[in-house]
Amino acid sequence: METMAVNYEDQTILFNFVVKQGNGVKGLIDSGMSCVPQPFVQPPSERIATLNAHTYEAAQPIDLSQLDGPHHKEVAKQIVVAAETLGFFQVVNHGVSVELLELLKTSAHEFFAQPPEKKAIYLKEVSPSKLVKYGTSFVPEKEKAIEWKDYVSMLYTNDHEALQHWPQPCREVALDFLKSSMEMVKRVVEVLMEDVGVRLEEERLNSLMGTKMVNMNYYPTCPSPELTIGVGRHSDMGMLTVLLQDGIGGLYVRLENGDWAEIPPLSGALVINVGDTLQILSNGKYKSAEHRVRTTNIGSRVSVPIFTAPNPSEKIGPSPEVVKRDGVARYKELLFQDYMNNFFSQPHDGKKSLDFARAN
Ligand code: OGA
Ligand code: NI
């Protein structure tokens, strides 16, 4: 690949090169950059010290093959306890083939290995499809420091449009991933809601899970990982997120005591985490987990999350059954569209996103 001279000193030129022209953080690395430029340097409070971080080893992955058999009660309990405490758990026998998991990681690498002009066509200002968006960082225009992450997101409407509009190197595998995990995700939501005394009608469940998006994240190897972050502290806005991570590691979740613990890569497993919407529906019983991603200099990491969230027109609020039992509604009822607009309007700041829904 031809290398281009980039002026790393001029922050506007650098921002334009990475964000506006769509070269991404990967383009920066490929251009020969060997030290982290200022716009990526996090304030000390957001940096991630790797030395004293511990791994969340207590939790064994939950075996979903046992969910609808004689061990239903035990497995359901494991899911409920994990969602109430950490808000994160890993699952095996989830119905997605191990071959597909491998293909997903390969095609994520393939997408980002393309020359910048092949990816930049999906920048949000110019993307040929409203379903596809490529970019760097979460809201780079508003962040104090830019995240060390390139991504492409693919919104699902129907199979036909996905196969027509999603980017070539990943459309088929991403759609397979979505379709082979959706039943499992819905089942997990049902189990969680049943435990708070809510039996969701098929139609309501489908509306609560009506927004589905597959992302592919690419965290380039970083020359000074102690200065940067892959993704800043945040919670996901939807119901449940299913995430495939590769073997590099670096996904951290906030514990109840405020410490951070790594969700260790487990070959063949999928990570599931609770989003804000499920916290709201359960009136706070289930915890949308605050999480973040560190960078590393051992190699480039990929991850493939599937986000599930309500239809924009869906009303969300604490379920009446739960409010009755709790004697108080901790969140107000709102239109999911409004929650989503607020979520995307500001940089990641831990669980601050939930304040928007808090009852006052
Ligand atoms: C996200 C996220 C974690 C990861 O995309 O919301 O938290 O491991 N990703 O990439
Ligand atoms: Ni997340």
Side-chain angles (χ1 to χ4, degrees):
M1 188 187 299
E2 199 181 317
T3 57
M4 208 185 312
V6 187
N7 184 345
Y8 309 124
E9 301 300 314
D10 184 315
Q11 299 199 8
T12 306
I13 294 179
L14 182 95
F15 188 90
N16 289 345
F17 176 81
V18 173
V19 175
K20 296 237 172 109
Q21 292 153 21
N23 290 285
V25 183
K26 182 166 191 304
L28 203 58
I29 292 289
D30 291 343
S31 77
M33 188 219 62
S34 60
C35 68
V36 171
Q38 197 56 41
F40 293 95
V41 175
Q42 294 290 331
S45 60
E46 299 297 327
R47 294 180 196 169
I48 304 179
T50 47
L51 285 177
N52 55 14
H54 42 101
T55 299
Y56 198 74
E57 283 170 292
Q60 288 295 309
I62 299 173
D63 182 353
L64 292 182
S65 67
Q66 303 292 314
L67 186 56
D68 288 312
H71 297 289
H72 171 79
K73 273 217 170 106
E74 289 117 275
V75 182
K77 192 76 197 158
Q78 289 172 10
I79 295 172
V80 166
V81 168
E84 281 174 338
T85 53
L86 199 62
F88 259 83
F89 50 98
Q90 306 211 48
V91 296
V92 292
N93 294 321
H94 37 57
V96 184
S97 80
V98 175
E99 294 75 32
L100 180 54
L101 299 183
E102 291 310 309
L103 284 174
L104 280 159
K105 289 180 270 182
T106 312
S107 53
H109 279 285
E110 261 175 54
F111 177 84
F112 291 98
Q114 297 177 105
E117 57 277 16
K118 285 265 166 94
K119 297 178 277 189
I121 57 168
Y122 296 112
L123 286 168
K124 72 169 180 297
E125 297 79 12
V126 296
S127 181
S129 165
K130 281 196 297 246
L131 308 183
V132 184
K133 188 177 136 202
Y134 156 79
T136 293
S137 200
F138 181 59
V139 277
E141 295 81 5
K142 296 186 181 175
E143 289 158 346
K144 288 201 197 83
I146 311 170
E147 295 172 338
W148 196 262
K149 165 186 125 167
D150 300 332
Y151 71 92
V152 61
S153 67
M154 297 167 270
L155 185 69
Y156 179 81
T157 45
N158 57 56
D159 294 3
H160 178 75
E161 289 192 344
L163 292 174
Q164 194 171 5
H165 299 293
W166 289 7
Q168 187 61 263
C170 29
R171 53 173 64 145
E172 269 160 19
V173 287
L175 184 58
D176 268 359
F177 185 31
L178 184 75
K179 299 191 77 170
S180 56
S181 59
M182 208 37 66
E183 224 175 289
M184 177 272 287
V185 192
K186 280 189 184 168
R187 188 73 192 100
V188 173
V189 168
E190 272 176 347
V191 165
L192 291 171
M193 292 310 285
E194 271 167 27
D195 201 74
V196 294
V198 180
R199 249 187 202 283
L200 295 170
E201 301 286 330
E202 180 75 14
E203 201 183 316
R204 168 78 167 155
L205 180 62
N206 286 335
S207 304
L208 287 172
M209 312 283 279
T211 301
K212 304 176 190 71
M213 197 165 81
V214 186
N215 276 25
M216 288 192 168
N217 295 324
Y218 187 85
Y219 305 93
T221 183
C222 180
S224 303
E226 69 285 358
L227 299 179
T228 60
I229 51 172
V231 185
R233 301 176 297 107
H234 72 287
S235 54
D236 296 344
M237 69 171 177
M239 293 286 285
L240 286 179
T241 302
V242 181
L243 177 116
L244 167 68
Q245 64 170 334
D246 66 14
I248 289 194
L251 172 59
Y252 286 79
V253 58
R254 176 98 83 172
L255 305 177
E256 276 166 313
N257 69 5
D259 287 352
W260 293 90
E262 181 166 12
I263 302 291
L266 257 183
S267 178
L270 289 170
V271 177
I272 295 185
N273 66 282
V274 173
D276 293 351
T277 304
L278 198 51
Q279 176 162 337
I280 294 168
L281 292 179
S282 67
N283 205 27
K285 175 176 155 91
Y286 298 127
K287 301 292 183 309
S288 82
E290 182 173 355
H291 55 287
R292 63 184 187 182
V293 176
R294 72 159 154 71
T295 57
T296 168
N297 55 17
I298 65 171
S300 297
R301 173 176 186 266
V302 294
S303 71
V304 187
I306 297 176
F307 300 100
T308 62
N311 287 326
S313 60
E314 196 69 6
K315 276 196 193 145
I316 59 164
S319 303
E321 298 88 333
V322 192
V323 174
K324 197 165 165 201
R325 206 168 23 198
D326 293 350
V328 56
R330 300 197 175 86
Y331 304 96
K332 52 191 176 197
E333 188 168 87
L334 39 79
L335 208 56
F336 187 67
Q337 175 77 66
D338 295 334
Y339 194 79
M340 189 156 54
N341 289 350
N342 179 68
F343 189 90
F344 284 109
S345 71
Q346 40 208 344
H348 287 319
D349 186 7
K351 293 193 64 170
K352 196 155 171 278
S353 50
L354 266 167
D355 290 349
F356 188 74
R358 201 144 272 144
N360 28 39

